[in-house]
Amino acid sequence: MPNFAAWIEDVDLTQPLSDAVQAELRQALFDFEVIFFRPQAITPAQHVALAKVFGPVSAGSYFARKPGAPELEMSTGDFSLEFAPANGCSRAQRPSAPASAHPAPRSPGSA
């Protein structure tokens, strides 16, 4: 079974990343498809810098953009905000999550 997801440790995202670290992060994403960083308080500019490690930032927009940081899209879980008409998305265009994304709670003993 292939490896899926990796925790990235000992990388301070508040500081500029060296070329070697950037290359390692790209390789980790290639190898594991999903990478996670330990929680760190980063600014919008640091978030954009991290995104650019993996390629150019998309000019398109699916979710609402973060005020003051137009490179960042916000996914808050509140579809009324994320897909607001002001963001160019009509109600008919709003995606619905597959049923498996939010399974219903089961009672004890149910299959």
Side-chain angles (χ1 to χ4, degrees), residues 11-17 25 37-38 40 42 46-47 50:
V11 174
D12 184 352
L13 299 176
T14 67
Q15 301 299 314
L17 302 175
L25 292 177
F37 294 91
R38 296 289 179 194
Q40 298 181 45
I42 61 175
Q46 291 164 337
H47 194 151
L50 175 61

Side-chain angles (χ1 to χ4, degrees), residues 11-75:
V11 174
D12 184 352
L13 299 176
T14 67
Q15 301 299 314
L17 302 175
S18 69
D19 291 341
V21 169
Q22 290 182 40
E24 287 183 47
L25 292 177
R26 284 189 294 273
Q27 188 63 48
L29 184 61
F30 179 80
D31 290 344
F32 296 99
E33 299 180 14
V34 175
I35 56 176
F36 295 96
F37 294 91
R38 296 289 179 194
Q40 298 181 45
I42 61 175
T43 66
Q46 291 164 337
H47 194 151
V48 171
L50 175 61
K52 289 180 177 179
V53 166
F54 304 101
V57 177
S58 171
S61 182
Y62 189 73
F63 295 106
R65 295 293 175 146
K66 181 171 180 58
E71 301 93 342
L72 299 178
E73 293 184 58
M74 299 183 303
S75 177

